[in-house]
Every structure is written in C-alpha cells, then in structure tokens.
Amino acid sequence: MPQRVEPRILRAGLGVLWVAVKAEPRIFGLSVAASGLYAVTTVGSAWVLGDVTQQVVLPAFRTGHATAGALTAGALAIIAVAFFKALGVAGRRFYAGLMQYRLQATYRRAVTRQYLRLPLAWHHQHPTGQLLSNANADVEAVWAPIAPLPMAVGVVFMLVIAAVSMLATDVWIAAVGFLIFPAVALLNVVYQRRLSPLAARAQQLRAEVSEVAHESFEGGLVVKTLGREDLETARFAERANELRDANVAVGRVRGLFDPMLEALPNLGVLAVLLIGSIRLEHGAITSGDLVHVAYLFTLLAWPIRALGWVLAEVPRSVVGWERVRGVLDATGSLPFGQASLEGPAAAALEVRDVRFGYGEGDVLHDVSFTVQPGRTTAVVGPTGSGKSTLTALLVRLVDPAAGLVLLDGVDARDVRRGGLAETAALVPQETYLFDDTVRGNVTLGAELTDEEVWEALRAAQADGFVAALPSGLDTELGERGTTLSGGQRQRLALARALVRQPRLLVLDDATSSVDPQVEARILKGLRESTASVVVVAYRRATITLADEVVYVQHGRVLDRGTHEELLDRSGGYRDLVTAYEVDSLTRGVSRTVSLNGAGNATSQRKEGAR
Amino acid sequence: MSTLSETSRTESALSTLRRGVRLSPEFRVGLAGTLGLALAATVGRVVVPVAVQQTIDHGLHAHAGPDVAFIRTAVLICAVVVAFTALCAYTMNVRLYRTSESGLAALRVKAFRHVHDLSMLTQSGERRGALVSRVTGDVDQISQFMQWGGLMFLISAGQLVVASVLMLIYSWPLALLVWVSFLPLAFALRRFQRLVSAAYITVRERVGQLLSAVSESVVGASVIRAYAAEDRTARRVDESVEHFRAAQTRAQALVALTFPSSELVAALATGGVVVAGTLLGIGGHLTAGELVAFLFLVTLFVGPMQVATEVLNDAQNAIAGWRRVLGVLDTEPDVADPGPGGVELPRGPIEVRFEDVGFAYPGGPQVLKDVTVDIAPQTRVAVVGETGSGKTTFAKLLTRLMDPSSGRVLVDGVPLDAVRFSSLRERIVMVPQDGYLFDATLADNVRYGRPAATDEELLLALTELGLGEWLDGLPRGLATPVGQRGESLSAGERQLVALARAYLADPDLLVLDEATSAVDPATEVRIQRALDGVTRGRTAIAIAHRLSTAEAADEVIVFDGGRVVQRGPHSTLVAEPGVYADLYASWAAQREA
C-alpha cells in the first residue's frame, strides 16, 4: 500500500523549502525564471511545430509547391524556440545546483561549528558515526529536494500554459489532457511514495553492510587468530542478502511504475488521435492542431514527473532537517568566565571535593588534592579506577558534577576562553594525531619557530626519528599517523604539549609505549622544567620522581603522601606498586615448591587472585 | 603501499566484463530471455509515431475523406501494443534486477571472504577503508550501473535502432539527414563525458577530504579542546567545505552546459526534416503522415543523447569498480590454507620447532636470522628483547600469520603450512597487544572465543583469570556495552577482555604478545598467576617487555638483532653476563627505583 503523506511531513517539508528560498532568494529567483523560460518554450515548441505543419507542410503537400521563404522561416522558428529552451534548461540546472551546494556548504559549516563549540560531555553522549553522518549525509538529504524544485515550479507553470493552449484548440481534446496529465502526476506521486521507503531501506542496509565490513576488517587480526572467518562471512552474507532483497524490492516497484508512466502519455496520444479525428471530421479542428496536441503530449510526459521527484525527497529531507536541527539547537555549552591566568611561574592546582559521572553512577567521588607550584604529583591506581577521567577534569575538558578545580586559586570555570589551554596541557593515554604534517601536529596552528618546535621534539626525545623522516618537520603523517609506531606517536603528542611551555603538565600514562631507557631521559628533562606536573603512571621509576602520590581506587582518593609514606601505610598501594617485586620474590620460593607438584601452583594462583 | 593484484588494472573493459560474469554465473541466468523482452519493450516506443503516420495518411487524408473507422481500429491495435510492451518492460526489469542483484550479492560475499583469507601482511598493506570499499562502494557502483545505466543503455540502444529502422522504411534520405545531424553530437558527447568524469573524480576526492576534516572535529574533540585548536580546525573544515562546493558547482556547470545540447541538435534535425521532407513530399517521395512521424521519431533521439554522458560515466565507474573487486579476488593469499588435503592435528599438548628460520618483510631487511628453537610441550616460555629485536615477528611466524622467508616451523613435527587452518586456529591462539573489540556487549566479545559458551562458562573463565572483582565493579557486568572498537573501556580493560576471549577459546598453545601491557601491575601479576595455574598442561609463549613474565617462565628466549642470543631459565640467564642480564638490570632499576 502506498504510504499516505502525513500532512505534518508535508508541512515540515514546505517549511524546509521556505528556509532554503529565504536563504538564497536571488539564486532561487534565477532558477525559477530559467525554469519558466523552459516551460514556455516547451509548450511553444509544440505550438510552433503544429503551426508549421498546418501553414507550410500540409499546404505544400496539397498544392505540390512551397516557397523557400516559408520553409526557411518555419525551420528557423523551430530552431529559435529550441535555443531558448536549451538556455532555460541550462540555467535551471545550473542555478538549482548552485543553490543546493551553497545551502549544503552553509549548513556543513554551521554543524561543524557546533561540534567545536559544544562541550565534550555532549560529544560523549553522541556516537561518532552519528555526528559524521549529521554533517554529511543528513545535510545532503535536507537539501536534496532543491535540485528538482525549480523544474517542479516550472512544470506547474507549463501545465497551466498547456491547459490554456489545449482549451484554445478544442475542449474535447483538452478533456483528454485533463484526464491524462493529472493521472501521470498522480501515478508518479504514488510511485515515489512507494519507492521512497524502499529506497531508504536499501540505503540503510548499504550503510549496515559497510559497518559490518568495516568492523570485521578492522578486527581482521582477531578474526584470523581465532579462525572465525566462517562466522564473519555468515554475518556479512546475512546483511548482503538483505541488501539484495531490498534492491530487488526497489527494482520491482521501478519495474512496475516506469513502464506505466511511459505507457500512459502514449495512450493519451492515441486517445487524442481518435477524438481528434472525430473533431476533424466535424471541422472543429485542423490537422495542424492535432499534430500540435499530440506533440505536446510527447513533450510533457517527462517533465511532469518532476513533481513526484520533489515529493519523493521530502520525507528524507524532513528527517535530515530534524537531525541537523538537533545539532544546531543543542544548548549544552561550556561557559567561560573573564579571569586570566597570567604569570611565567608554575601553576598551583587544587582539586576540591570533585564528583563526576558519565551517566550510570559516579566515576569519581569526593576527590581532593593539591599540587604546589613546580611540584610533581603522581596519580596511581588500578585499571579502571577513574584516573583518565580525573585528568580530563584538570584541564577542563569536562566540568565536575560537584566540587571545584582551582588553578592559581581561580575556579577553572571562571577562566576566559582559551586561557586554560595556554596554562595547562594534557597528554592523553591514547594519542590522536591529525592528518597533517609533523609541524602541524606539534604547533596545531600556533605561530612557533622551527627552533621552538625542535626544542620541544628534543625534550620529548622525538628529534631523532623526526629528523630521519623524508621531509623532516614537513612530512605528512597521513590517516591518524598510522605510519608511526606507538612510541613515536606518544612522543609527538608529548612534544605538542611541551612546545606550549605549559605551567601545568598533565600526563595520562603518556609514555607507556616508549622504551624504558628513552622514558627515563624524558622524565629527567621534565624534572628540570619549571612546570607543575600531574602524572598517571604504573612504572615505579616514574612514580618515585613525584613529590607526592595520590592513590585512587574505585574513583576515591584512598591516600596521599610521598611514595615512601604510602608504601608504609597503604596496603593497596603497596600491593599495586610492588606487585612485580613481590611476584619475583615469591617466584623464587614457588619455583622450588612447584617442582614438587602442580597442586601447589594452583594454591599459589588462588593466593594471587585475592 | 598496495599489495593487491595489479594485473587486472590494465585489462580491457570487455575482458573485465567477461571475467566478472564468469566469476558470478548468476548474471547469465535467463539472459537471452531478458534481452528478448528488452527488444520487445523498445518496440513500444515507436507505436506513437506509427499511429500518427497511419492516422494522417490513411485516416484523415484518405481518398474518400476522413475514415474514423480505420482510425478507431488503428488506435485500438496500437493501444494493445502499448500495453503489451509495458508488460514486457515490467518483466524484463524484474528479471534484470533479480539476476544482477543475486550475482552482486554473491560477488560481495566472495570478495569479503577473500579479504579475510589474505595474509595479515597484505591486509595491513591496504588502507582499511580501501578494503571496505571493495565489498561496498565498488560493488554498489556495479549495482547502480546494472539498475540504471545498464538498463538505460539497453533501452536507449534499442530505441535508436528501432527508430532508425522505421526512419529507413519511411525515407532513407531523411533518415540520413537525422543521422548526420546527431553524429557530431555523439562524438562531442564522448569528449563531454571525459570532462564531466574528470570533474566528478575531483568531486569525489574533495568529499574524501571533507569527511576527513569533519571527522577531526569529532574524533579529535578532546585534543582540540585541550589545546584550544578550535579556530585551526574550523579553518580546515571551512577550506574543505568550500573546495567541495567549488568542485560540485564546476561539475554541475559542465553538465548544465552539455545536457541541453541535444535539444539544440534535435531542433536542427527537426528544422532540416521539415525543409527536406516538404521538398521530398512535393516530389512525391514522402507522405504528410510520414513526415509528421519523422518529427516524432526525432524526439526519440534526444533522450538517449541526454543520458549518454551519465550512462558512460556510470559504465566507466562500474568497470573500474569491477576491476578493483576482481583485483582483490586475483590476489593469491600468500599464507594459504592447505585445504582438505591438509593435516588435522589431534588435540593435546603442543610441541614447536623452528628450523633455521629467517624472515624479511617484502623489500625490507632481514628481521629474523637462523632461528632454531625447540619448545617442549607443556612449557611456559617468555620471549624477551628490545624493541625491534624480532620477538613479535617470532610470534607471528609461530601462529602462521606470516610464513618464513627461509627455514620452516613445525608443530608436533608437522610443517605449519601443511596444517589445516581450522585445526591450526583451534589449537594455537594469539592475543595481540591491541585487543580489538567489536561494538557489542562484553559477553558477546568474550564469547567470540567460543560461540557456544554459556554465560556461566563466561563467568567461570573470567573468574579463573582473576577478573571476577573487576567484572563486579562494572555497573552492568557482562551486559556492559564496550562501544565502537571497545572505546567505552579503558585500554587496560580492553586487554583484559581480549585475554578472556582467547582463554575461552581453550587452545593448546596460547601466545601472548604483550597482551597485558596497559594493565596495572597488581592485575597483571594476578593474571599471570592465574594463567600459570590454568595453563598447566598446555604450552604458553609470552612476548614481554615487563620481565616479571620472564621470571615466572620455565624458559626464557632472548632475541637481539633478529637472532636468538640466549635461552634458559631466568635464574641461570640473570647470573651470566649478556643481553638478558642488561635488560633485567634496567627493568629492575625501573621497578625498584
């Protein structure tokens, strides 16, 4: 059954089109004017042909002679009308495209501006894939009806002129037109209405096929190492077959309606011939009139479908518009204050009773600690205890649900826009590199000299491999820096932070892929810098560099103090930090024991598990 | 660097077509019938001109004055023909869709499977997006061509042929005139098509750049905020949006200019037909009805010319897409399953032997040299060495992700390349450092190791690995969604899931390639201990840079510069001067600093 167009959708669709017309009135006007020219000349060309037939051709056939002047005039009239028609077609297509692409560009810019403006918390609530399709596919869908819109407007105009032209010829023949053209238009509306959900489903399945392939190939190593190729192929085949069925369903509808839409005007011409010949017999019309109307039917059969094209795009456009508006109207924001954080010296940091959660339960509870200017604090805790979340709060990627983060005594929320980035730099656990050069990735657009960049690379122990790259600082890193090893990527990210000479440096396990000897050199350099440092670490060499250690577990600060103090009084901390040593020592014992039998190894395991 | 087969990229369109059809025999099902129907369907297009001609010549201008009875009969016959050809068109469409889509679905699945069968090296030599395109966009392009371009081509060609035949019957000089008018356009369209196609290639390139710029604003959201790089990103986005718009507009301008050219040519032809036809008519060589029929027939030339550039573009894209898909299928998997003739290894403790194994990446230096190693069943071995010493290569050869350049690897005395993959992957499982997770729940991901496992078995496996407490700490436990690529979990947690997944698969040889590098020390030690217990009775090989693993192993194999330089238990190695003692000293300094 054809879906009924809900009046709501139609109204919303008209609303979207009105937005477009208001945004680009001049271009819309030009495209409609060109389309009007196209309409007039289309009907005109049929009229001219009928007239030439009646005035020049038939008399010549009857009388057996023709004047060269009349023949030439007839031919020129046909060509002149066609010239203006071609002009109309070209103008209509060009301006329709121009308008569509300008609107796309405007809204793509607006959507990405929102992505950059909205707080990270908003990003956390929206999957990456969805945001990418909002900016791309959805924006495209919104303005898809713009392409056939001028033609549709022109067609309405064309139908009015054609109706007048036919009525002027003969009422009975016009009656055929009044039956056939609405029927063609209606049939096409039904067609597009039935096609559109099927086409949308095929489109959706294409996206799903792509998702399965993407995920499966990305996890190719897992598939291979576990020998799950059959399972994956079955998973993919299921989607591919659904897509096949959806495409065939589209084909069925197209296969049914396309021939009908073609046959209908043909039947119309045949009806015109039949009724026309009767009218001719009565002397109500001439042969030229008959040719004129029959030709008009042939010419109108195609453009009249444009009405259906616009209507077909409307539901998709409305859905796209709702999604795009969802981004544009998102209100969440990270308001900035006026305060500046000035001063060349290291920053003081205070975290006071901070609570934070991503939705289900809190990740951090009542976290408090301070970092004196120039001091280094290590944050230590088991996997999944909320350390990375804490680092995000320190540089105000997110705001705490309760409590305060203070820099130099100023609430981070009161600092002016950009003020925190000048003061504090975070090097996250997972490195993100831009599709840019080495230089671009380090400076991120800041005006910095080559010396400053090399200086930072040296401090991050990255100068060696960067110098060895084919174009040095200007080497393009490509898609997410895949050409570099994990350790190299981490060192570039570190250089990106250091080049800004931050007064507070936050390192989230930022050297985990770097060889120990290289890491030792980096840390030595950092100790000599003047910044305050917060470092998340497991390696004891890193922890012992810190003036103070904050030990977290399950999102709470369990203890604070120097490494020695914590070793002394906190059992959990001791277990975590000395795990390898203890293991090493007990191995010495268990090795001799386990030689006596496997049973002991099992009891060892249970002990370890506690 | 692309390692996919290049041979097919230069072959002719026709041979691509032939090979493509041979690979997907579904395309040929009922092809003759479909073509016959297509021919019948196009006949419907000339019914109107014939009816017009008949009406004028025999109905209106009959010697005895207008003959309405004749016209009524003629119109009725024509109406029946129109209805019949519409039915033919419907049947042809449905047949064409069904066979082409079946063929393409089979091709998609075949190519998908083939990508997984390619060796790890071939896979990693391609951009991931490129491989995805082989089974999505490239096949879609063929599909689009079959459904629109190919259909149009069929109909247009038929329409031109049928119209031309009819023209020749009516008057050959006029037919010639129409042909001569349209011929230059046909040649010009070929040029237009090249221009338009180049313009659309630019559009596609720019859309790629646009997507990459937009994705930075989403994927890099936290770095952009941390470094206040909003303006820079906005600038880059604006630039790519503008480039894309300019390319689209240019392509549209080209199409807008070339599209109506056929209208002009048609008008020239029509004008010529009127003049020449009238003159011919005066000479008695043509009737009035035939002349008017010609005017209608000329309009049948316009449609095919208007869509020609688009059809050619479509065809070109489809052929290129098909070539790329065939390119994947042409690439021989260089690490191949021996197939049904291969050896099935019975389950039980595994013994491994490397005989004079050497390995070099294609075009690269030797990364492993003369490695000869025996690993006894049921031993736990640690493989250590500096970054780049060859230890990960060793693991990849051991699990047959790659084949050695020289020498051979044997399991239980059987050369690895003679063992069936189904048997090999069941008995030997590796946990790579970057444990990739699928966008599903934690339970689904662990169950990937053994699809038949119940929730109880999953819980048991996680508990045996000492991860019970961690699991209890997750608000939704086993039902926790891990997000895309597992990104809702921390790096350490992802490794825990990957480890549990491999553990559940219950292999006889477990190879860990720095599988716990992002996990906290206490958890790592706990896992280590747990594995010690549960891997008793199987063979376990761990590639490690934390030497706690080496201390716990039965034997340590030390790599340096692609060679095995030392091997023996930790207690022996640490006491003798050498690479291991140095590595250990630096590790101990780190640990105890």
Side-chain angles (χ1 to χ4, degrees):
Chain A
M1 272 300 290
Q3 285 185 327
R4 216 167 57 84
V5 191
E6 287 178 47
R8 188 189 71 81
I9 298 275
L10 207 59
R11 257 201 311 279
L14 285 174
V16 177
L17 293 180
W18 181 235
V19 170
V21 172
K22 265 195 310 189
E24 303 285 354
R26 198 179 63 87
I27 298 178
F28 182 69
L30 285 168
S31 68
V32 168
S35 189
L37 180 64
Y38 160 68
V40 173
T41 47
T42 300
V43 180
S45 64
W47 181 80
V48 167
L49 203 76
D51 205 44
V52 170
T53 309
Q54 186 63 31
Q55 306 294 332
V56 184
V57 177
L58 293 180
F61 273 77
R62 242 189 340 263
T63 58
H65 69 87
T67 59
L71 271 179
T72 318
L76 283 181
I78 291 170
I79 293 166
V81 171
F83 176 76
F84 287 107
K85 186 178 175 188
L87 209 63
V89 171
R92 186 196 79 214
R93 293 203 106 179
F94 178 73
Y95 287 114
L98 197 66
M99 179 167 171
Q100 189 188 8
Y101 304 142
R102 280 172 75 110
L103 285 164
Q104 281 181 7
T106 306
Y107 277 81
R108 286 206 169 104
R109 275 195 291 266
V111 166
T112 26
R113 279 297 183 293
Q114 278 293 84
Y115 292 165
L116 293 172
R117 189 188 70 76
L118 289 165
L120 202 59
W122 184 86
H123 279 265
H124 286 152
Q125 289 156 9
H126 296 85
T128 308
Q130 186 191 321
L131 297 187
L132 291 181
S133 91
N134 286 156
N136 186 44
D138 289 337
V139 168
E140 205 167 290
V142 174
W143 306 121
I146 297 298
L149 181 64
M151 173 134 170
V153 175
V155 163
V156 173
F157 193 43
M158 194 187 290
L159 285 178
V160 173
I161 312 173
V164 172
S165 155
M166 284 191 296
L167 278 174
T169 308
D170 184 64
V171 180
W172 286 99
I173 288 191
V176 177
F178 288 149
L179 275 177
I180 293 292
F181 289 126
V184 171
L186 195 71
L187 188 64
N188 199 39
V189 169
V190 173
Y191 174 24
Q192 301 298 345
R193 196 66 41 66
R194 287 185 72 161
L195 186 66
S196 146
L198 293 174
R201 180 171 155 68
Q203 187 59 34
Q204 171 64 27
L205 282 167
R206 260 195 290 280
E208 283 175 26
V209 163
S210 171
E211 261 166 48
V212 171
H214 211 282
E215 191 182 54
S216 187
F217 291 167
E218 206 163 9
L221 194 57
V222 175
V223 175
K224 222 179 241 315
T225 51
L226 288 167
R228 290 285 174 269
E229 289 89 347
D230 289 342
L231 193 76
E232 288 298 302
T233 308
R235 186 160 81 104
F236 181 77
E238 196 183 309
R239 283 297 142 82
N241 289 339
E242 277 180 51
L243 174 58
R244 176 198 62 201
D245 296 342
N247 278 339
V248 171
V250 167
R252 248 178 232 290
V253 172
R254 281 201 189 155
L256 181 66
F257 280 88
D258 276 338
M260 287 207 312
L261 280 170
E262 203 186 294
L264 210 50
N266 283 348
L267 293 176
V269 175
L270 294 175
V272 166
L273 290 180
L274 186 64
I275 291 173
S277 59
I278 297 171
R279 299 291 293 158
L280 197 82
E281 203 179 18
H282 294 159
I285 59 167
T286 65
S287 300
D289 290 338
L290 199 57
V291 172
H292 159 211
V293 176
Y295 198 71
L296 192 60
F297 270 54
T298 318
L299 291 184
L300 284 182
W302 176 254
I304 206 167
R305 297 194 192 182
L307 295 174
W309 299 335
V310 173
L311 281 176
E313 299 287 357
V314 162
R316 233 160 54 87
S317 161
V318 169
V319 172
W321 180 246
E322 279 161 6
R323 288 189 193 150
V324 168
R325 283 260 51 118
V327 174
L328 295 181
D329 296 341
T331 45
S333 71
L334 202 62
F336 293 92
Q338 298 297 324
S340 286
L341 296 169
E342 300 298 335
L349 171 73
E350 185 185 352
V351 176
R352 198 187 287 166
D353 303 325
V354 160
R355 191 164 62 76
F356 182 82
Y358 291 104
E360 279 176 66
D362 283 348
V363 178
L364 296 175
H365 319 261
D366 306 319
V367 171
S368 295
F369 66 92
T370 54
V371 180
Q372 299 301 325
R375 310 273 275 179
T376 298
T377 298
V379 178
V380 180
T383 303
S385 58
K387 303 183 295 292
S388 294
T389 303
L390 180 60
T391 62
L393 282 157
L394 299 185
V395 298
R396 206 184 170 215
L397 287 179
V398 287
D399 278 334
L404 292 172
V405 175
L406 302 158
L407 276 123
D408 289 341
V410 179
D411 185 340
R413 285 172 293 199
D414 293 336
V415 177
R416 66 176 169 79
R417 179 182 284 275
L420 263 166
E422 287 163 16
T423 308
L426 165 72
V427 186
Q429 186 175 25
E430 273 160 76
T431 313
Y432 181 81
L433 293 182
F434 294 92
D435 189 357
D436 198 349
T437 58
V438 172
R439 186 202 313 278
N441 267 291
V442 172
T443 64
L444 294 182
E447 295 289 328
L448 294 163
T449 65
D450 278 14
E451 280 67 47
E452 288 168 310
V453 174
W454 280 115
E455 179 72 27
L457 289 170
R458 247 190 309 281
Q461 301 289 320
D463 52 331
F465 79 82
V466 170
L469 289 173
S471 317
L473 288 182
D474 295 312
T475 309
E476 288 283 347
L477 291 180
E479 193 185 25
R480 297 199 203 169
T482 39
T483 43
L484 300 178
S485 77
Q488 290 172 330
R489 292 157 50 84
Q490 285 194 330
R491 282 180 272 168
L492 275 191
L494 188 62
R496 179 191 287 166
L498 295 178
V499 81
R500 293 175 159 66
Q501 302 186 315
R503 297 164 52 224
L504 170 67
L505 183 62
V506 184
L507 305 175
D508 181 8
D509 202 13
T511 47
S512 57
S513 304
V514 178
D515 270 347
Q517 299 85 332
V518 179
E519 189 194 27
R521 286 203 293 276
I522 293 174
L523 293 173
K524 189 163 158 286
L526 287 185
R527 249 192 109 61
E528 287 157 13
S529 82
T530 53
S532 309
V533 180
V534 175
V535 54
V536 174
Y538 293 132
R539 289 185 187 173
R540 217 159 128 189
T542 318
I543 297 170
T544 49
L545 286 177
D547 303 299
E548 193 187 34
V549 177
V550 176
Y551 175 56
V552 291
Q553 198 182 1
H554 297 312
R556 291 178 198 282
V557 176
L558 291 194
D559 207 344
R560 292 164 50 189
T562 65
H563 171 63
E564 286 74 20
E565 286 166 1
L566 292 193
L567 271 187
D568 214 38
R569 63 173 183 240
S570 170
Y573 179 76
R574 193 165 50 236
D575 286 350
L576 184 72
V577 178
T578 62
Y580 295 139
E581 273 171 280
V582 172
D583 183 48
S584 175
L585 287 175
T586 52
R587 291 282 178 191
V589 183
S590 71
R591 180 154 306 279
T592 38
V593 176
S594 71
L595 286 176
N596 299 332
N600 283 323
T602 314
S603 66
Q604 274 287 333
R605 168 170 66 87
K606 284 186 180 148
E607 196 177 292
R610 257 177 223 131
Chain B
M1 170 193 71
S2 174
T3 43
L4 295 183
S5 175
E6 295 281 341
T7 51
S8 59
R9 299 199 180 171
T10 48
E11 75 180 351
S12 76
L14 206 64
S15 72
T16 302
L17 210 67
R18 256 204 305 272
R19 276 179 350 110
V21 171
R22 201 163 47 231
L23 270 166
S24 315
E26 292 89 346
F27 288 132
R28 272 201 303 245
V29 176
L31 188 62
T34 306
L35 287 176
L37 285 167
L39 192 68
T42 51
V43 169
R45 308 224 159 178
V46 294
V47 168
V48 165
V50 171
V52 169
Q53 182 261 331
Q54 291 290 323
T55 302
I56 291 177
D57 285 349
H58 301 296
L60 301 181
H61 296 256
H63 298 294
D67 179 356
V68 176
F70 173 81
I71 294 175
R72 200 179 300 130
T73 315
V75 162
L76 201 67
I77 293 173
C78 288
V80 170
V81 173
V82 165
F84 176 72
T85 53
L87 192 68
C88 288
Y90 167 71
T91 317
M92 172 204 68
N93 278 332
V94 172
R95 285 170 70 116
L96 197 68
Y97 272 89
R98 203 180 292 136
T99 50
S100 68
E101 284 302 318
S102 301
L104 290 175
L107 180 69
R108 238 188 249 276
V109 174
K110 207 180 274 182
F112 176 89
R113 174 57 197 244
H114 199 81
V115 168
H116 273 305
D117 285 341
L118 293 174
S119 71
M120 185 199 68
L121 268 184
T122 316
Q123 286 176 355
S124 57
E126 291 290 320
R127 282 171 90 117
R128 248 178 277 112
L131 287 177
V132 175
S133 296
R134 292 306 94 87
V135 299
T136 57
D138 288 336
V139 178
D140 290 336
Q141 246 156 15
I142 313 174
S143 161
Q144 193 194 329
F145 175 72
M146 296 274 189
Q147 296 185 2
W148 186 81
L151 194 64
M152 273 298 171
F153 177 78
L154 218 59
I155 291 172
S156 297
Q159 186 171 314
L160 288 179
V161 168
V162 174
S164 298
V165 168
L166 199 59
M167 282 180 175
L168 283 173
I169 293 174
Y170 285 153
S171 161
W172 68 262
L174 273 194
L176 205 64
L177 176 77
V178 173
W179 268 101
V180 168
S181 312
F182 277 95
L183 215 55
L185 180 65
F187 284 111
L189 283 177
R190 182 85 189 121
R191 281 186 70 88
F192 286 159
Q193 186 265 333
R194 281 201 200 102
L195 280 172
V196 169
S197 151
Y200 275 110
I201 287 173
T202 314
V203 169
R204 274 199 294 279
E205 279 168 10
R206 301 266 171 94
V207 80
Q209 290 160 6
L210 172 78
L211 284 178
S212 134
V214 171
S215 89
E216 280 192 355
S217 72
V218 175
V219 186
S222 64
V223 175
I224 289 168
R225 277 159 188 74
Y227 289 86
E230 286 90 350
D231 291 346
R232 170 190 172 277
T233 314
R235 222 171 25 245
R236 280 162 71 95
V237 169
D238 284 359
E239 213 172 90
S240 64
V241 165
E242 183 50 33
H243 277 173
F244 179 48
R245 194 197 62 78
Q248 279 177 306
T249 307
R250 201 185 108 75
Q252 182 71 8
L254 272 173
V255 173
L257 275 179
T258 55
F259 187 80
S261 56
S262 53
E263 295 274 2
L264 275 179
V265 173
L268 282 174
T270 307
V273 165
V274 167
V275 174
T278 307
L279 295 177
L280 281 169
I282 291 165
H285 300 290
L286 195 72
T287 66
E290 284 168 349
L291 173 54
V292 175
F294 251 93
L295 300 179
F296 280 80
L297 286 172
V298 170
T299 62
L300 289 181
F301 274 65
V302 178
M305 295 293 161
Q306 275 179 343
V307 296
T309 52
E310 283 172 72
V311 170
L312 283 173
N313 257 340
D314 242 29
Q316 220 169 39
N317 290 339
I319 291 287
W322 216 338
R323 247 175 228 159
R324 286 192 292 267
V325 180
L326 293 179
V328 168
L329 292 171
D330 284 344
T331 309
E332 287 287 326
D334 48 1
V335 178
D337 188 349
V343 179
E344 297 271 357
L345 293 172
R347 297 215 51 148
I350 266 189
E351 177 192 2
V352 180
R353 179 173 164 76
F354 271 59
E355 273 180 9
D356 298 320
V357 168
F359 184 81
Y361 288 95
Q366 198 82 0
V367 286
L368 276 192
K369 294 163 205 148
D370 311 324
V371 173
T372 300
V373 170
D374 281 293
I375 294 169
Q378 304 187 18
T379 48
R380 283 165 303 144
V381 175
V383 178
V384 302
E386 288 192 347
T387 307
S389 60
K391 52 188 196 298
T392 292
T393 306
F394 176 77
K396 286 175 182 165
L397 293 175
L398 177 61
T399 49
R400 208 174 169 227
L401 291 175
M402 312 188 294
D403 280 334
S405 317
S406 58
R408 50 186 199 150
V409 182
L410 303 124
V411 281
D412 294 347
V414 180
L416 210 49
D417 55 10
V419 181
R420 290 200 67 170
F421 271 6
S422 52
S423 174
L424 178 73
R425 301 297 180 214
E426 186 183 73
R427 302 202 60 213
I428 304 181
V429 168
M430 177 169 100
V431 187
Q433 181 173 11
D434 177 26
Y436 182 88
L437 301 189
F438 295 95
D439 186 5
T441 64
L442 196 149
D444 293 334
N445 271 288
V446 176
R447 191 175 280 122
Y448 202 76
R450 178 148 49 94
T454 62
D455 277 6
E456 286 68 37
E457 287 171 306
L458 298 187
L459 283 172
L460 183 67
L462 286 160
T463 317
E464 281 180 345
L465 284 173
L467 301 177
E469 199 191 324
W470 166 70
L471 187 67
D472 292 341
L474 296 172
R476 293 173 64 181
L478 276 179
T480 305
V482 303
Q484 274 181 23
R485 289 182 287 275
E487 277 164 5
S488 301
L489 302 180
S490 77
E493 288 173 318
R494 285 203 291 277
Q495 290 190 330
L496 299 182
V497 178
L499 188 70
R501 173 169 64 193
Y503 174 62
L504 189 72
D506 192 25
D508 293 318
L509 170 60
L510 189 60
V511 182
L512 307 175
D513 184 6
E514 307 207 4
T516 48
S517 60
V519 173
D520 74 78
T523 307
E524 188 180 31
V525 166
R526 201 160 63 231
I527 291 172
Q528 190 66 55
R529 296 279 176 136
L531 283 174
D532 282 358
V534 294
T535 58
R536 279 272 156 241
R538 11 178 152 205
T539 318
I541 297 176
I543 316 290
H545 74 190
R546 291 180 181 177
L547 295 194
S548 57
T549 315
E551 289 177 72
D554 296 324
E555 192 177 25
V556 181
I557 300 178
V558 186
F559 275 85
D560 190 42
R563 291 175 196 277
V564 175
V565 289
Q566 283 177 298
R567 59 178 304 191
H570 162 77
S571 51
T572 319
L573 293 184
V574 76
E576 56 188 55
V579 177
Y580 187 74
D582 294 347
L583 280 172
Y584 191 78
S586 114
W587 150 254
Q590 275 249 327
R591 189 181 68 183
E592 278 143 30

